[in-house]
Amino acid sequence: MSAKVRMAIPWLLALITLLLMFDFWTWDNDAFFVWSFAPWAYFWYFVPYASISYLAIAVLLKLAWPEPPQSMIEGRAKRGD
Amino acid sequence: MGMALTIVVVAIYLIVTLVIGWLATRRTSSTVGDDYFMASRTLSKITLVMAVLATQWSAFVIMGLPGEAYRSGFGTLGKYASVAFGCAFGAYMIGYRAWLLGKRYGYSTSPELLAARFSSPAAHIVTLVVSLYYTVPYLITGMMAGGQAVVIITQGAVPYWLGALIMGAVTVYYIAGGGMRGAAQVAVLQGVVIFIGMVILVIFVGASQGTANILEKVPPNLLTREGKFTPVEYIAQALIMFGNPVIFPQLLAKLMSSRSVEDLKITSVAWPVGTFTVFALAILMGVWGAALVPGLQGPATENVLFMMFAKYAPPFLGALLIVVLLAAVASTLDGQLLTVSQLATLDIFKRYTHLSEDRVVRFGRWAVIVVAMISYLGALIRPGNILVIAVFAFAGFCLLFWGALLALHWKRMNKWGFVVGVSVGEILLHLWQFHLIPYFPGIPNAFLPALIITVLLSVVISLTIPQSEDEARARDRFFSVFAEAFGDGGKAAEIPVSGTVKSSM
């Protein structure tokens, strides 16, 4: 995978998860209940939202976060700054 | 009986904390700064995850969030839900790159890192000032919450000033002695106590009072977001919480202390999952509190959990809640004390007075004590309520987060873009937040326009002013590390100095 595609993945996932947060179009459903502790504004929207976010994390880890070469982790160069 | 039990449970918790701190102190070097402040970068899975989570779960979670949920209802979760991906985004975009640079060049603080990125003392000063300015008030909220907790434990028999002093003294003991290792090892205990405690408390209230019964008593306006929040407020809060906790110096230092990439990846998953879950539990209990303990107003709403448990729970559960609060308070307080000490020692005294390496730890330990004393005095003044101080600190750090994000991902970003963008953004944030100037037309919010202006100024200035040779060399030093880590064959190191090249990262 090219560096540009790898760089675009976290931004794309960030955009999707942020846009999903702005569920203004569902605010009319807020008083909707199924279980007695779980209104829409708390449970029915945000549990699926969190699940999608966790899926996005899995994608981020799988596609955008490579293992660095072992050589660069071992040993520390002089700072020289 | 109830009070005696609470005091015994709290005493056991504090003694265990002191023993863990003592053990960590014995293993910590008295002459090597990197060992004291960064645990020699050896924090592994469980310790790292718990250290990050416990630092994130502050008094804000036990008092601030339930208080807001009490006033604003279930929709409060939506304002903070962006942490569910945002923490992982921050850990990847900034935490991982900072960790790589720390491994390669030995950096341990964000001012040090950003100063080296731009080869600029001005970038160092801006980052240092912003970090200290927002961490110290947040630190004071920890002392305040500790004082309030002890007053509640003893039902007023121990005064607030003594409560805050006890909390500060216990925390100072294991931080001054054990440094990062002390904070991380105690965090394992704190994290377990906070998470299991919150789950037990929710189950108990739900089962004993009946969730359907509680919900019938919740005022209807707390079930809906309409009228409680505005879309602008929602968007602003989502962006504030998205990723920016990583730039909190106490959290970034912990990520940079990771032993390996694997440990960092595991933390990047556990951090958002744990944070979102605990936020959700705190908000649920805050709304339940509105049904079970109605009538609280203003800052008193932050005590809703204590009042609810004092009224309905058996003594041992009240004691558990107090221990959860103490753990939450201390876990953030210790990280902040250490980080302010680290900034004072490494970024002020070592950088500007050439403090020798063998005196760094001794100086750092004294700095912990001095910072704790200053924070204690601040806590006696009680500058505001916990939620307001915490959320303002989040907003201020968020502007720095975007500056750092551009610095670590965009080669064209230069020192003027960073310094002017972040400084102007922070100044405007204050002017709008404290109503010293009218809101930006069409945006009735202090943070959103400040963020837009920070990013715009950073980009426009960086595109307008070319980088100096020093800056370009410093930039290439950073981006060659990223290129190596991301398998780009070191292309970044070949970029010409002019600053007009196209970015490949």
Side-chain angles (χ1 to χ4, degrees):
Chain A
M1 186 181 295
S2 77
K4 280 186 180 170
V5 174
R6 191 184 289 135
M7 203 54 233
I9 289 170
W11 289 105
L12 183 65
L13 295 172
L15 188 66
I16 292 168
T17 53
L18 273 173
L19 288 178
L20 282 175
M21 260 206 67
F22 307 139
D23 64 322
F24 309 123
W25 42 279
T26 76
W27 283 24
D28 289 343
N29 297 336
D30 279 357
F32 170 70
F33 286 85
V34 174
W35 296 329
S36 54
F37 74 97
W40 174 270
Y42 178 79
F43 190 86
W44 294 109
Y45 190 81
F46 286 104
V47 168
Y49 171 81
S51 307
I52 291 170
S53 297
Y54 303 154
L55 190 67
I57 295 170
V59 172
L60 178 74
L61 282 149
K62 182 80 181 166
L63 298 181
W65 197 333
E67 288 291 326
Q70 197 57 32
S71 57
M72 73 176 299
I73 296 172
E74 292 165 356
R76 182 194 299 170
K78 284 188 176 176
R79 285 202 194 182
D81 52 343
Chain B
M1 169 63 191
M3 189 171 137
L5 177 68
T6 303
I7 290 173
V8 168
V9 172
V10 168
I12 291 170
Y13 168 76
L14 291 179
I15 289 167
V16 173
T17 300
L18 291 172
V19 169
I20 296 172
W22 176 69
L23 292 172
T25 303
R26 290 181 61 195
R27 292 182 53 209
T28 299
S29 167
S30 293
T31 52
V32 181
D34 205 53
D35 191 59
Y36 180 71
F37 288 117
M38 306 292 284
S40 294
R41 300 172 203 263
T42 56
L43 295 188
S44 58
K45 293 180 186 67
I46 304 277
T47 319
L48 181 64
V49 166
M50 288 315 224
V52 168
L53 282 175
T55 304
Q56 177 89 54
W57 298 336
S58 60
F60 169 71
V61 169
I62 310 297
M63 300 177 79
L65 266 186
E68 187 176 8
Y70 184 100
R71 298 186 298 272
S72 304
F74 282 116
T76 305
L77 182 61
K79 278 177 72 181
Y80 297 94
S82 65
V83 294
F85 179 72
C87 290
F89 179 80
Y92 171 75
M93 299 295 273
I94 289 186
Y96 178 47
R97 289 183 180 226
W99 178 82
L100 284 168
L101 294 164
K103 280 276 181 192
R104 174 64 64 91
Y105 300 121
Y107 305 131
S108 51
T109 66
S110 47
E112 202 179 11
L113 193 77
L114 290 165
R117 160 67 177 87
F118 298 112
S119 186
S120 162
H124 179 261
I125 289 169
V126 167
T127 314
L128 179 65
V129 168
V130 171
S131 299
L132 287 173
Y133 178 77
Y134 290 111
T135 303
V136 172
Y138 199 12
L139 182 56
I140 290 170
T141 67
M143 290 269 189
M144 284 164 56
Q148 282 171 239
V150 175
V151 170
I152 293 165
I153 293 169
T154 60
Q155 295 167 7
V158 175
Y160 169 83
W161 66 267
L162 186 56
L165 188 64
I166 293 167
M167 275 303 298
V170 170
T171 310
V172 162
Y173 172 76
Y174 65 82
I175 287 300
M180 175 65 86
R181 192 170 284 110
Q185 291 181 354
V186 171
V188 176
L189 170 72
Q190 292 163 334
V192 169
V193 165
I194 296 167
F195 188 77
I196 295 179
M198 290 290 279
V199 171
I200 290 174
L201 294 170
V202 168
I203 291 172
F204 168 78
V205 176
S208 67
Q209 301 302 311
T211 53
N213 184 40
I214 297 171
L215 215 56
E216 277 176 16
K217 296 179 191 164
V218 171
N221 67 337
L222 297 186
L223 303 177
T224 59
R225 285 171 283 186
E226 205 70 62
K228 284 285 177 190
F229 304 105
T230 63
V232 168
E233 188 185 353
Y234 236 61
I235 292 169
Q237 195 61 38
L239 289 170
I240 287 173
M241 297 307 292
F242 193 84
N244 95 77
V246 74
I247 206 71
F248 284 30
Q250 68 272 22
L251 282 162
L252 188 62
K254 288 188 169 95
L255 293 178
M256 290 173 76
S257 302
S258 171
R259 184 186 58 182
S260 68
V261 184
E262 276 311 306
D263 297 328
L264 206 52
K265 284 184 178 179
I266 290 167
T267 307
S268 303
V269 176
W271 184 10
V273 174
T275 301
F276 181 83
T277 306
V278 168
F279 277 18
L281 295 176
I283 287 164
L284 182 62
M285 284 205 283
V287 179
W288 283 357
L292 298 173
V293 195
L296 300 180
Q297 299 286 331
T301 56
E302 293 191 336
N303 292 330
V304 59
L305 296 193
F306 303 105
M307 303 186 80
M308 188 163 67
F309 283 91
K311 195 168 173 184
Y312 294 102
F316 77 92
L317 273 182
L320 176 63
L321 179 64
I322 296 293
V323 171
V324 169
L325 174 67
L326 290 180
V329 168
S331 63
T332 308
L333 191 63
D334 58 19
Q336 290 170 329
L337 272 178
L338 184 66
T339 208
V340 174
S341 156
Q342 188 178 16
L343 292 171
T345 306
L346 302 180
D347 284 295
I348 298 175
F349 286 93
K350 191 175 178 196
R351 191 178 186 92
Y352 295 110
T353 69
H354 305 292
L355 189 70
S356 63
E357 179 65 28
D358 59 334
R359 291 175 58 208
V360 160
V361 176
R362 199 181 338 150
F363 192 92
R365 285 178 166 150
W366 276 109
V368 167
I369 295 167
V370 171
V371 171
M373 287 166 67
I374 293 169
S375 306
Y376 175 67
L377 292 176
L380 294 181
I381 297 167
R382 301 198 211 197
N385 74 32
I386 288 166
L387 182 79
V388 170
I389 294 174
V391 169
F392 187 57
F394 291 168
F397 272 122
C398 192
L399 303 180
L400 181 61
F401 168 78
W402 281 90
L405 197 62
L406 287 169
L408 295 180
H409 288 265
W410 189 41
K411 286 180 190 164
R412 290 287 300 275
M413 178 76 161
N414 67 25
K415 63 184 174 191
W416 298 116
F418 177 80
V419 169
V420 175
V422 173
S423 306
V424 171
E426 295 289 357
I427 291 166
L428 287 173
L429 175 69
H430 281 73
L431 294 176
W432 279 315
Q433 180 74 28
F434 298 113
H435 306 292
L436 298 172
I437 55 173
Y439 279 134
F440 195 84
I443 310 178
N445 182 276
F447 166 74
L448 274 181
L451 174 64
I452 293 166
I453 288 168
T454 297
V455 173
L456 274 181
L457 275 178
S458 299
V459 171
V460 170
I461 292 172
S462 296
L463 288 174
T464 310
I465 302 174
Q467 293 175 342
S468 67
E469 287 192 16
D470 268 358
E471 266 188 284
R473 263 196 299 275
R475 171 200 67 191
D476 291 346
R477 225 169 126 254
F478 271 44
F479 280 84
S480 63
V481 171
F482 304 150
E484 200 180 331
F486 287 90
D488 301 341
K491 273 189 232 164
E494 297 164 13
I495 300 286
V497 165
S498 69
T500 55
V501 291
K502 276 178 72 176
S503 170
S504 65
M505 294 294 287

